[in-house]
Amino acid sequence: MKIWRVRIGMRTFKTALSVVIGLYFSHLLNLQAPIFTAIASITTMQPSFTDTSEQVKRRLFTCVFGVIFGYLLAQITHNPLFTPILAGIGVIFTIVLHQLTGQKNMTTLACIVFVASFATRTNHMTYGINRLIGTFLGVAISVLINVLIRAPKVHEDFFQSVQEAYREIFDLTRNCLLLPYPSDLSHLEAAINKVNNYYHMLDEEIHSPFYSGKEFKIPHAIIEVINEIYLRFQLLEELKPFTPTIFGKNIETIESLFSYTILYQGDLKREEAIVYNYHIEVILKDVFRLKNFVEENSL
């Protein structure tokens, strides 16, 4: 959907839908502060199941800890001269506790929930119950919508990035055989970084408790192939500048892969030509492996 020139993505739609449903449920349950349901719905809706799982843990832990801790400290005194000092002590304790337990990413949110629970001017018990129910409700609605409606498909993004990297590798391999070196590796480097990022994300995604996609083995060998090709191109840069010298089986492989025949001899010395052809042989074998993988997993 597009409004003017702004594209409304699926995640935007799902976030809005989770807020709408959360507010309706808050009204049906007569919650005093439906904003907590909306906040939980918004923060839990993430582009991947890994991020969603992380947000669920963060929201639930900080909510339970902050509400209970704020309620307990609020019972110590109601003297306005001492409550601000008590709040400061509570913030220090919350920060130190999260640092000691390795939960630094939850510190800010936990402090906010604690202060809100401690400083509320309504009944602390009522506030705490409303906040807990609203947060749990918002999290549950957001997770269900994220799973049931166009669930995140990181595996498709991964395979798409592999295809893009393959096209870069294919073009770069062909160019380095026809043109004097060096070739620009910046586009290939960007494509490979994208593949590696999606690979690590996919590895985490499959082990996420909310993952509902198809089961398959992550092709770790393909990652090794792509990274090895990039390494070989970097090694070839040490020989620059030159016009390629191709001989041996590489000539036949090039004819099979690129459908053209090498009819020239370059200006590399024999020792350098042997090194060059060794790296080219490895690259061509890896390109064939990558080509087969892309064809088998075409989207």
Side-chain angles (χ1 to χ4, degrees):
M1 181 188 303
K2 290 187 177 181
I3 298 179
W4 294 287
R5 295 185 178 180
V6 179
R7 182 179 182 275
I8 299 179
M10 182 54 63
R11 183 185 168 197
T12 303
F13 171 76
K14 291 194 294 185
T15 302
L17 180 61
S18 66
V19 170
V20 171
I21 295 176
L23 292 178
Y24 272 121
F25 271 98
S26 297
H27 176 72
L28 292 174
L29 296 174
N30 197 28
L31 297 181
Q32 294 184 5
I35 186 175
F36 301 138
T37 306
I39 292 174
S41 296
I42 294 170
T43 56
T44 304
M45 185 65 64
Q46 297 295 320
S48 71
F49 289 115
T50 301
D51 294 337
T52 298
S53 178
E54 194 64 31
Q55 278 296 326
V56 168
K57 290 187 291 185
R58 183 180 302 180
R59 290 299 311 181
L60 297 184
F61 177 82
T62 55
C63 179
V64 173
F65 170 82
V67 166
I68 294 177
F69 187 46
Y71 172 79
L72 292 176
L73 250 64
Q75 305 310 306
I76 295 177
T77 179
H78 297 287
N79 191 324
L81 294 177
F82 296 106
T83 49
I85 297 175
L86 200 58
I89 295 173
V91 168
I92 293 174
F93 177 82
T94 301
I95 294 174
V96 172
L97 177 65
H98 283 71
Q99 289 178 338
L100 293 176
T101 56
Q103 303 293 333
K104 292 183 180 180
N105 59 338
M106 299 183 183
T107 303
T108 302
L109 186 58
C111 287
I112 293 173
V113 177
F114 157 71
V115 173
S117 176
F118 176 84
T120 181
R121 295 188 177 183
T122 61
N123 181 276
H124 288 85
M125 179 65 73
T126 303
Y127 173 88
I129 293 174
N130 271 269
R131 177 121 200 183
L132 288 172
I133 294 176
T135 299
F136 276 77
L137 180 63
V139 166
I141 291 172
S142 188
V143 168
L144 285 174
I145 290 177
N146 207 16
V147 170
L148 298 177
I149 302 178
R150 292 286 298 275
K153 297 180 179 179
V154 177
H155 64 281
E156 291 187 2
D157 295 331
F158 168 74
F159 289 124
Q160 182 67 39
S161 69
V162 172
Q163 290 178 353
E164 293 173 2
Y166 168 70
R167 287 191 289 269
E168 284 289 340
I169 289 171
F170 187 90
D171 291 341
L172 186 61
T173 304
R174 180 177 55 194
N175 291 340
C176 84
L177 296 172
L178 295 176
L179 304 173
Y181 234 70
S183 295
D184 184 10
L185 297 179
S186 60
H187 294 295
L188 177 59
E189 182 179 6
I192 291 177
N193 288 337
K194 188 176 180 180
V195 171
N196 287 324
N197 289 336
Y198 276 124
Y199 169 73
H200 293 302
M201 187 183 299
L202 181 59
D203 188 31
E204 295 177 347
E205 191 85 340
I206 289 179
H207 298 93
S208 168
F210 302 116
Y211 180 73
S212 60
K214 63 179 181 180
E215 295 183 1
F216 57 88
K217 293 183 179 179
I218 299 178
H220 180 69
I222 294 302
I223 302 300
E224 293 179 342
V225 166
I226 291 175
N227 289 325
E228 182 182 42
I229 291 173
Y230 179 64
L231 174 62
R232 297 291 174 180
F233 276 123
Q234 288 181 311
L235 292 174
L236 288 179
E237 280 199 323
E238 301 298 324
L239 301 175
K240 65 182 183 181
F242 63 86
T243 302
T245 301
I246 309 295
F247 53 71
K249 292 183 179 179
N250 286 341
I251 295 178
E252 298 177 4
T253 307
I254 292 169
E255 290 179 356
S256 173
L257 186 62
F258 300 106
S259 300
Y260 60 71
T261 304
I262 300 295
L263 298 175
Y264 62 87
Q265 288 297 326
D267 54 9
L268 282 175
K269 297 179 181 178
R270 178 161 181 81
E271 293 80 7
E272 294 176 336
I274 291 174
V275 174
Y276 172 81
N277 275 267
Y278 170 73
H279 290 307
I280 288 297
E281 181 181 359
V282 175
I283 289 174
L284 291 173
K285 288 180 179 178
D286 286 342
V287 170
F288 263 112
R289 293 176 61 188
L290 190 57
K291 178 175 180 289
N292 292 333
F293 173 80
V294 169
E295 290 176 351
E296 292 171 0
N297 296 275
S298 58
L299 297 177

